[in-house]
Amino acid sequence: MKYVVVLIILAAIAGLVYWRLRPYIRGALHFLGVLREMRRMSSGSPQRPGPERRPASGRAPDKLMRCASCGTWFPASRAAGSQYCSHACLERSADAPRRTHKSAS
């Protein structure tokens, strides 16, 4: 029973110490993150691509196209057919009855 009381007291002391040092621990973690980021930038090897970076292949990103069947936007390199986002949309549009548009004369 004595050991349980001692453990509870030690846990309470550790909790209070952590509570008081929390801002300093957060600051130290932030400082270490800045150092890690500076080291990553100085090595020249990007680990995580940001929105302004190009893809790993070095090419410009594909232009977006809109699927004629469902209206979803997708990269032009993934086009199934000429203007469809997937084979399912291509088949769905082939199975759908054709709509005739009246001319506005």
Side-chain angles (χ1 to χ4, degrees):
M1 187 69 181
K2 290 182 197 179
Y3 296 114
V4 174
V5 172
V6 170
L7 284 175
I8 291 173
I9 292 173
L10 288 177
I13 290 172
L16 288 174
V17 168
Y18 171 73
W19 188 260
R20 296 291 289 175
L21 295 179
R22 197 171 37 126
Y24 302 107
I25 294 170
R26 188 180 308 139
L29 290 176
H30 181 70
F31 180 72
L32 291 174
V34 169
L35 288 179
R36 186 179 307 121
E37 185 71 18
M38 285 176 48
R39 188 175 67 204
R40 185 191 63 80
M41 290 175 69
S42 67
S43 69
S45 61
Q47 292 178 349
R48 50 191 154 153
E52 71 280 349
R53 295 190 181 135
R54 289 186 173 208
S57 64
R59 297 180 304 155
D62 286 334
K63 290 186 177 181
L64 292 178
M65 295 178 60
R66 190 168 193 163
C67 180
S69 177
C70 66
T72 302
W73 290 94
F74 63 96
S77 63
R78 290 186 46 206
S82 61
Q83 54 190 343
Y84 299 100
C85 65
S86 66
H87 291 289
C89 281
L90 180 63
E91 292 172 359
R92 191 178 315 127
S93 69
D95 292 340
R98 301 263 184 226
R99 295 180 186 166
T100 57
H101 296 288
K102 296 180 182 178
S103 62
S105 317

